[in-house]
Amino acid sequence: MNVKEEFRPYDVTDYLDTPEDMAGYLDACLSEDQGDGALVLKALGNIARAHGMTQISRDMGIDMDSLSKALSNEGNPDLATIMKVIKALGLKLHAST
C-alpha cells in the first residue's frame, strides 16, 4: 500500500489562536531579535494577519494597504505606528530585568 504524503508550508498564523499565544510569540521574538527590529516587525505582521488585518487597520484608523506596507519586510514603521499596532492587537509592551 502506497500512502502519498502531502505537505503544506508552515505558517505561524495557524498557531496564534489566543491572545496568550500572540503575546508569547511576540515576547519570544522580542527576546530573540538581533537588535534591528526585523524579527519583531515580522512577528507583528504575523500576529496582525492571524488577528485580522482589516480589523487592525480599522482600529488604528488607517487603510489596510498602509498597514500591510508598514508591517512588510520592506516596511520601516516608526515607534508610534508600532505602538498603535500593539494596542490594536490588545497587547501590551513592557520591560523587565
Side-chain angles (χ1 to χ4, degrees), residues 6 11-14 19-20 22-24 29 34-35 41 43-44 48 52 56 59 61 67 71 74 76-77 79 94 97:
E6 291 187 35
D11 188 348
V12 70
T13 62
D14 293 337
E20 293 80 15
M22 294 176 192
C29 290
Q34 298 295 309
L41 184 60
L44 286 174
I56 299 302
D59 292 347
L67 178 61
L71 297 178
E74 293 80 34
N76 189 18
L79 183 58
H94 69 276
T97 58

Side-chain angles (χ1 to χ4, degrees), residues 10 12 16 19-35 37-44 47 91-94:
Y10 176 82
V12 70
L16 298 174
E20 293 80 15
D21 295 338
M22 294 176 192
Y25 173 57
L26 181 57
D27 199 37
C29 290
L30 284 163
S31 296
E32 296 296 321
D33 190 86
Q34 298 295 309
L39 187 59
V40 173
L41 184 60
K42 182 70 173 174
L44 286 174
I47 294 168
L91 300 172
K92 294 182 181 177
L93 189 62
H94 69 276

Side-chain angles (χ1 to χ4, degrees), residues 38-71:
L39 187 59
V40 173
L41 184 60
K42 182 70 173 174
L44 286 174
N46 289 334
I47 294 168
R49 280 190 309 118
H51 193 298
M53 291 286 267
T54 303
Q55 186 61 50
I56 299 302
S57 66
R58 275 192 211 128
D59 292 347
M60 291 178 62
I62 65 171
D63 63 83
M64 199 159 93
D65 288 338
S66 296
L67 178 61
S68 295
K69 184 177 178 181
L71 297 178

